[in-house]
Amino acid sequence: MQHAIGISSSNMLLNEIRDTFAEVESDIANGPVVPHVTPDEVRSYLTSRYDFRKPVTLEKVIADVQQMLHKWQVHVTHPRYFGLFNPSVTLASVIADTLTAMYNPQLAAWRTSPAANEIERHTLGWLAEKFGYPANAMATFTSGGAEANLSGVITALTRAFPEYGERGLQSLAAAPTFYLSGEAHHSFNKAAHMTGLGRQALRTVATDRDFRMNVADLARRVAEDRKSGLAPFLVVGTAGTTGAGAIDPLADLADFCRREKLWLHVDAAWGGAAAISPALRHHLKGIEAADSITCDAHKWFSVPMGAGMFFCRHADVVAEAFRAETSYMPGKTLGPAADPYTTSVQWSRRFIGLKLFLALAEHGESGYAEMIEHQTRMGEVLREALKDAGWQIVNTSPLPLVCFTRQGLDPAAFLAALHERQIAWMSQVRLGAGEPVLRACVTSFRTTEQDIRQVVSEMSGIVP
Ligand SMILES: Cc1ncc(COP(=O)(O)O)c(C=O)c1O
């Protein structure tokens, strides 16, 4: 079938974006990593130029916005950005976001967007299999990891307490509690707040010296809470903690949860991508037994923001947790496909999954695995280079995240100097009850060994 929009138009789109993308990429790589600007400066710039009374040509606004973005942001796609899991992005994923915006498919109902819905399903099915999930597992793209984690809490509650959905927490005989380590992501504190569990429902389990959850402490806390009349229902294991990149003992957690009839949610927002690497996937052993999983495409899968994923083994529980019936939505889908507005927190849904689909199709599974393994190797180079330069490494992650310090270091002052000199972007973190240390994560597939050696060498110039 021949279309008015054919291959020549696709080529044009590709060529135009490829050229701009290459220009932006080189502009960023050769420019500063960190902006120096105050809120007042940005606000007064905007106020003085944009009162929206008179139209401005699109060319002019685009040029102005590009200039603002260039000057006034931490460049997370810079090869010397060693930050908070925000990736460099592939050309394919940028084109995908443009296509998504142009066609603006509405994914809430299957009938409205059969192509988009099935592309997402196909992509998620591929990753679900990598996690060792069965073909009938349920998966959905989310706005990010926080939404996916919230979905994990909601589904776990729905299964443990069938009356929760209709009659609320107040109808329960015992107060529900859930368990995570002190290194778990703080989106769970918000989830506890939003679901009505209350933040005190969170139980912080001790960690070992590698910042991994201590299963004996977990067992002790669950037993104690049960004895006190509380109702434990969920354990959260993290695969790649935000602070230290630690991977909780997932297989042990899975055994424990099976024995104790608790839901296991694995937050693999960043580390989940390791599942596609033959060299790294063994670090996630046990994830296949999780009841639900969070994994973000907009972290280690290197696609633009707004792409989380939620996987759940129990399609029936997801359907119950997010059920909705209205007269105004298109009628129920025929056949096996579910309408996404009935299987997730979202209603109207953007075509989030296209960026992962397009990038995966272009690079292939092995290309993607190579991107991930390259960054892991760069993490090792960084770890070794820091040690050689006299830094003390304080974490042991197999993933490319290094936490480090040295005698007499004032992390805040060090980072201020690092950023002021545009050497790199790094951050500080407090692990366990320790003092703040420096944290550097390789998040860009563009970071080279030379970038790392240069950064570590320049860092030596600002140490106490
Ligand atoms: C381990 C972990 N889980 C969840 C999240 C939240 O993900 P998002 O920012 O995509 O909502 C993060 C964010 O960095 C994270 O590190």
Side-chain angles (χ1 to χ4, degrees), residues 84-85 144-147 149 185 187 238 240-242 267 269-270 296 298-299:
L84 294 163
F85 302 151
E147 183 197 324
N149 284 343
H185 194 259
S187 49
T238 308
T241 58
T242 316
D267 179 359
W270 176 56
D296 276 356
H298 68 200
K299 289 191 168 65

mmCIF file of all heavy atoms in Angstrom, residues 84-85 144-147 149 185 187 238 240-242 267 269-270 296 298-299, ligand 1:
data_model
loop_
_atom_site.group_PDB
_atom_site.id
_atom_site.type_symbol
_atom_site.label_atom_id
_atom_site.label_comp_id
_atom_site.label_asym_id
_atom_site.label_seq_id
_atom_site.Cartn_x
_atom_site.Cartn_y
_atom_site.Cartn_z
ATOM 1 N N LEU A 84 22.750 11.699 38.208
ATOM 2 C CA LEU A 84 21.677 10.941 38.830
ATOM 3 C C LEU A 84 20.872 10.123 37.811
ATOM 4 O O LEU A 84 19.669 10.335 37.663
ATOM 5 C CB LEU A 84 20.788 11.906 39.615
ATOM 6 C CG LEU A 84 21.522 12.547 40.803
ATOM 7 C CD1 LEU A 84 20.786 13.776 41.309
ATOM 8 C CD2 LEU A 84 21.688 11.547 41.925
ATOM 9 N N PHE A 85 21.541 9.232 37.112
ATOM 10 C CA PHE A 85 20.887 8.295 36.189
ATOM 11 C C PHE A 85 20.240 8.952 34.967
ATOM 12 O O PHE A 85 19.463 8.322 34.265
ATOM 13 C CB PHE A 85 19.806 7.452 36.904
ATOM 14 C CG PHE A 85 20.286 6.646 38.074
ATOM 15 C CD1 PHE A 85 19.435 6.347 39.130
ATOM 16 C CD2 PHE A 85 21.584 6.151 38.120
ATOM 17 C CE1 PHE A 85 19.855 5.580 40.211
ATOM 18 C CE2 PHE A 85 22.016 5.383 39.186
ATOM 19 C CZ PHE A 85 21.145 5.103 40.245
ATOM 20 N N GLY A 144 7.302 7.448 34.739
ATOM 21 C CA GLY A 144 8.653 7.299 35.286
ATOM 22 C C GLY A 144 8.656 6.238 36.359
ATOM 23 O O GLY A 144 7.651 5.529 36.566
ATOM 24 N N GLY A 145 9.770 6.153 37.076
ATOM 25 C CA GLY A 145 9.906 5.143 38.110
ATOM 26 C C GLY A 145 9.001 5.391 39.305
ATOM 27 O O GLY A 145 8.527 4.447 39.946
ATOM 28 N N ALA A 146 8.755 6.648 39.601
ATOM 29 C CA ALA A 146 7.918 6.958 40.767
ATOM 30 C C ALA A 146 6.506 6.420 40.540
ATOM 31 O O ALA A 146 5.901 5.815 41.436
ATOM 32 C CB ALA A 146 7.901 8.461 41.025
ATOM 33 N N GLU A 147 5.981 6.613 39.326
ATOM 34 C CA GLU A 147 4.639 6.076 39.030
ATOM 35 C C GLU A 147 4.653 4.544 39.058
ATOM 36 O O GLU A 147 3.711 3.916 39.551
ATOM 37 C CB GLU A 147 4.143 6.566 37.664
ATOM 38 C CG GLU A 147 2.730 6.086 37.373
ATOM 39 C CD GLU A 147 2.324 6.188 35.902
ATOM 40 O OE1 GLU A 147 2.722 7.145 35.218
ATOM 41 O OE2 GLU A 147 1.610 5.275 35.448
ATOM 42 N N ASN A 149 6.619 2.647 40.808
ATOM 43 C CA ASN A 149 6.691 2.212 42.212
ATOM 44 C C ASN A 149 5.334 2.364 42.902
ATOM 45 O O ASN A 149 4.922 1.505 43.680
ATOM 46 C CB ASN A 149 7.767 3.008 42.957
ATOM 47 C CG ASN A 149 9.175 2.521 42.606
ATOM 48 O OD1 ASN A 149 9.341 1.429 42.071
ATOM 49 N ND2 ASN A 149 10.181 3.328 42.904
ATOM 50 N N HIS A 185 14.479 4.072 47.162
ATOM 51 C CA HIS A 185 14.126 5.400 46.644
ATOM 52 C C HIS A 185 12.967 6.022 47.436
ATOM 53 O O HIS A 185 12.037 5.324 47.862
ATOM 54 C CB HIS A 185 13.729 5.289 45.171
ATOM 55 C CG HIS A 185 13.679 6.614 44.494
ATOM 56 N ND1 HIS A 185 12.500 7.287 44.249
ATOM 57 C CD2 HIS A 185 14.672 7.409 44.045
ATOM 58 C CE1 HIS A 185 12.780 8.431 43.653
ATOM 59 N NE2 HIS A 185 14.096 8.533 43.512
ATOM 60 N N SER A 187 10.527 7.679 46.498
ATOM 61 C CA SER A 187 9.184 7.681 45.898
ATOM 62 C C SER A 187 8.253 6.773 46.705
ATOM 63 O O SER A 187 7.031 6.940 46.654
ATOM 64 C CB SER A 187 9.243 7.235 44.434
ATOM 65 O OG SER A 187 9.983 6.044 44.296
ATOM 66 N N THR A 238 15.695 -3.286 45.973
ATOM 67 C CA THR A 238 16.176 -2.355 44.948
ATOM 68 C C THR A 238 17.317 -2.995 44.165
ATOM 69 O O THR A 238 18.225 -3.582 44.751
ATOM 70 C CB THR A 238 16.647 -1.040 45.591
ATOM 71 O OG1 THR A 238 15.602 -0.542 46.431
ATOM 72 C CG2 THR A 238 16.964 0.014 44.531
ATOM 73 N N GLY A 240 20.010 -1.636 42.170
ATOM 74 C CA GLY A 240 20.700 -0.406 41.765
ATOM 75 C C GLY A 240 20.184 0.765 42.568
ATOM 76 O O GLY A 240 19.402 1.578 42.068
ATOM 77 N N THR A 241 20.619 0.852 43.833
ATOM 78 C CA THR A 241 20.111 1.941 44.668
ATOM 79 C C THR A 241 20.631 3.283 44.148
ATOM 80 O O THR A 241 21.705 3.363 43.551
ATOM 81 C CB THR A 241 20.536 1.770 46.147
ATOM 82 O OG1 THR A 241 21.971 1.707 46.203
ATOM 83 C CG2 THR A 241 19.946 0.519 46.761
ATOM 84 N N THR A 242 19.835 4.315 44.404
ATOM 85 C CA THR A 242 20.156 5.640 43.880
ATOM 86 C C THR A 242 21.483 6.144 44.443
ATOM 87 O O THR A 242 22.275 6.754 43.729
ATOM 88 C CB THR A 242 19.024 6.621 44.266
ATOM 89 O OG1 THR A 242 17.778 5.966 44.038
ATOM 90 C CG2 THR A 242 19.096 7.897 43.455
ATOM 91 N N ASP A 267 12.480 -2.627 42.646
ATOM 92 C CA ASP A 267 12.700 -1.335 42.004
ATOM 93 C C ASP A 267 14.037 -1.407 41.265
ATOM 94 O O ASP A 267 15.100 -1.230 41.847
ATOM 95 C CB ASP A 267 12.711 -0.219 43.064
ATOM 96 C CG ASP A 267 12.971 1.149 42.436
ATOM 97 O OD1 ASP A 267 13.159 1.220 41.209
ATOM 98 O OD2 ASP A 267 12.988 2.148 43.185
ATOM 99 N N ALA A 269 14.726 0.542 38.669
ATOM 100 C CA ALA A 269 14.553 1.722 37.805
ATOM 101 C C ALA A 269 15.794 1.952 36.953
ATOM 102 O O ALA A 269 15.702 2.162 35.757
ATOM 103 C CB ALA A 269 14.238 2.949 38.658
ATOM 104 N N TRP A 270 16.944 1.894 37.578
ATOM 105 C CA TRP A 270 18.188 2.067 36.817
ATOM 106 C C TRP A 270 18.806 0.713 36.446
ATOM 107 O O TRP A 270 19.061 0.413 35.281
ATOM 108 C CB TRP A 270 19.178 2.899 37.647
ATOM 109 C CG TRP A 270 20.531 3.055 36.997
ATOM 110 C CD1 TRP A 270 20.796 3.553 35.750
ATOM 111 C CD2 TRP A 270 21.804 2.710 37.569
ATOM 112 N NE1 TRP A 270 22.149 3.545 35.514
ATOM 113 C CE2 TRP A 270 22.800 3.032 36.599
ATOM 114 C CE3 TRP A 270 22.199 2.167 38.784
ATOM 115 C CZ2 TRP A 270 24.162 2.831 36.826
ATOM 116 C CZ3 TRP A 270 23.564 1.965 39.008
ATOM 117 C CH2 TRP A 270 24.527 2.305 38.037
ATOM 118 N N ASP A 296 13.126 1.816 34.390
ATOM 119 C CA ASP A 296 12.959 3.057 33.617
ATOM 120 C C ASP A 296 13.708 3.000 32.297
ATOM 121 O O ASP A 296 14.926 2.778 32.281
ATOM 122 C CB ASP A 296 13.513 4.252 34.419
ATOM 123 C CG ASP A 296 12.504 4.801 35.406
ATOM 124 O OD1 ASP A 296 11.356 4.312 35.414
ATOM 125 O OD2 ASP A 296 12.860 5.730 36.154
ATOM 126 N N HIS A 298 14.012 5.697 30.656
ATOM 127 C CA HIS A 298 14.721 6.981 30.614
ATOM 128 C C HIS A 298 15.922 7.048 31.577
ATOM 129 O O HIS A 298 16.410 8.120 31.887
ATOM 130 C CB HIS A 298 13.774 8.170 30.815
ATOM 131 C CG HIS A 298 13.157 8.295 32.188
ATOM 132 N ND1 HIS A 298 12.019 9.035 32.409
ATOM 133 C CD2 HIS A 298 13.495 7.803 33.399
ATOM 134 C CE1 HIS A 298 11.700 8.991 33.686
ATOM 135 N NE2 HIS A 298 12.588 8.248 34.309
ATOM 136 N N LYS A 299 16.355 5.897 32.002
ATOM 137 C CA LYS A 299 17.611 5.852 32.747
ATOM 138 C C LYS A 299 18.631 5.117 31.874
ATOM 139 O O LYS A 299 19.129 5.690 30.912
ATOM 140 C CB LYS A 299 17.402 5.205 34.124
ATOM 141 C CG LYS A 299 16.596 6.128 35.067
ATOM 142 C CD LYS A 299 16.594 5.660 36.493
ATOM 143 C CE LYS A 299 16.068 6.704 37.462
ATOM 144 N NZ LYS A 299 14.649 7.056 37.282
HETATM 145 C C1 LIG B 1 16.078 3.489 42.326
HETATM 146 C C2 LIG B 1 15.113 4.531 41.814
HETATM 147 N N1 LIG B 1 13.806 4.277 41.814
HETATM 148 C C3 LIG B 1 12.895 5.158 41.387
HETATM 149 C C4 LIG B 1 13.283 6.389 40.935
HETATM 150 C C5 LIG B 1 12.261 7.377 40.482
HETATM 151 O O1 LIG B 1 12.221 7.356 39.094
HETATM 152 P P1 LIG B 1 11.662 8.580 38.246
HETATM 153 O O2 LIG B 1 12.564 9.715 38.521
HETATM 154 O O3 LIG B 1 11.745 8.050 36.858
HETATM 155 O O4 LIG B 1 10.268 8.820 38.686
HETATM 156 C C6 LIG B 1 14.650 6.725 40.900
HETATM 157 C C7 LIG B 1 15.088 8.025 40.404
HETATM 158 O O5 LIG B 1 16.262 8.286 40.211
HETATM 159 C C8 LIG B 1 15.574 5.768 41.364
HETATM 160 O O6 LIG B 1 16.896 6.045 41.399
#
